[in-house]
Amino acid sequence: MSVTRVKNNAFLILCTMFCFSGCGKSSLSSDEYIKYMESERSGMRKEKNVEEIKIQVQYKTPEYIAVKEAGSAGTGSMKERINKLKGMQYYTLRYTLNNSKADIMKYRLASEADYYDRLNYMSFGMQNDIIIVQGNDTLPCVLFNHVRTYGLSPFADVVLGFEEKESKAELENDKTLVVEEKAFGLGYLKFFFDKNDFNDVPELKIN
């Protein structure tokens, strides 16, 4: 290979590296952002199947929550909402039955009393059995809400919030959501989130 060709190849490589280093994150519209966050490739949604039950975990950025609350319009109020949501990390834990649209809350109950025990636990006790392991830190669940559907939906959602100890800790560490699952007797469930996936999340385009 000639010296000139080597120099030309080196120049092309350097140009390519410069172009990639100069590129920022992509910017997505509200609809595109939601689709990305809820896609498997994003790494922001995890799923496990245990016996007949499917458990999904959706990680939610402040931008994701704001778009879900406000619809597709990018507004000043949305920016304010995003700023208010910062400093926490949010998840939704969803239970559904595989191959069935039956009410998950009534799954394998021996009596009506068992139904109310399950409901009471998911409303008031479950929060104490969920943590985030992040770097050297263990984060307790400080925001918790079991979304009641009163049998009108086949799934059961639990909304979770964890307070960050440092402003950039969320992006600098892998994290594992650990659930000591007692509502349906599924045992310990772990959902791993790669820090690289958090850093790859596109920006939300707000008009």
Side-chain angles (χ1 to χ4, degrees):
M1 184 180 292
S2 67
V3 174
T4 301
R5 187 173 180 182
V6 170
K7 289 183 177 179
N8 287 339
N9 288 342
F11 177 75
L12 289 172
I13 292 171
L14 287 172
C15 286
T16 302
M17 292 174 63
F18 176 80
C19 289
F20 277 105
S21 63
C23 293
K25 288 186 177 183
S26 59
S27 182
L28 301 180
S29 68
S30 295
D31 290 342
E32 292 170 336
Y33 190 88
I34 294 299
K35 288 179 181 178
Y36 175 87
M37 290 293 293
E38 294 180 353
S39 68
E40 184 178 350
R41 68 184 179 87
S42 71
M44 299 293 100
R45 173 171 286 193
K46 305 296 180 180
E47 183 176 301
K48 290 182 183 293
N49 288 280
V50 183
E51 298 179 356
E52 300 174 61
I53 297 178
K54 178 190 295 183
I55 309 98
Q56 290 179 320
V57 175
Q58 176 70 57
Y59 173 81
K60 303 182 295 186
T61 61
E63 291 81 1
Y64 176 91
I65 297 172
V67 171
K68 282 287 193 177
E69 290 177 347
S72 60
T75 64
S77 60
M78 183 180 291
K79 291 181 180 180
E80 293 175 6
R81 180 61 174 152
I82 290 171
N83 287 331
K84 287 182 179 180
L85 289 166
K86 289 181 178 179
M88 299 276 293
Q89 51 179 293
Y90 306 90
Y91 303 79
T92 292
L93 180 67
R94 170 169 288 186
Y95 295 89
T96 54
L97 288 171
N98 281 313
N99 305 316
S100 175
K101 293 184 179 180
D103 183 0
I104 181 70
M105 293 297 292
K106 297 180 180 178
Y107 176 70
R108 288 188 177 178
L109 294 177
S111 66
E112 185 177 359
D114 287 345
Y115 172 84
Y116 288 105
D117 286 343
R118 175 177 288 168
L119 179 61
N120 184 67
Y121 169 74
M122 293 185 70
S123 298
F124 304 107
M126 190 175 182
Q127 178 177 3
N128 300 318
D129 296 325
I130 303 175
I131 59 171
I132 290 285
V133 177
Q134 178 174 285
N136 295 321
D137 294 324
T138 298
L139 309 180
C141 182
V142 296
L143 292 178
F144 181 90
N145 180 43
H146 170 224
V147 182
R148 294 287 305 274
T149 64
Y150 302 94
L152 299 177
S153 174
F155 54 79
D157 282 355
V158 181
V159 179
L160 313 171
F162 303 83
E163 187 173 6
E164 288 291 1
K165 293 186 176 181
E166 299 177 13
S167 60
K168 294 185 179 180
E170 183 176 3
L171 300 178
E172 295 175 347
N173 296 285
D174 298 328
K175 50 183 59 58
T176 302
L177 176 68
V178 182
V179 182
E180 185 181 357
E181 213 296 307
K182 298 176 181 177
F184 300 94
L186 305 181
Y188 277 92
L189 303 175
K190 296 183 179 181
F191 300 88
F192 175 78
F193 291 83
D194 192 313
K195 64 181 179 182
N196 294 316
D197 291 331
F198 288 93
N199 287 305
D200 289 341
V201 172
E203 295 178 352
L204 173 65
K205 188 186 301 181
I206 302 177
N207 298 323

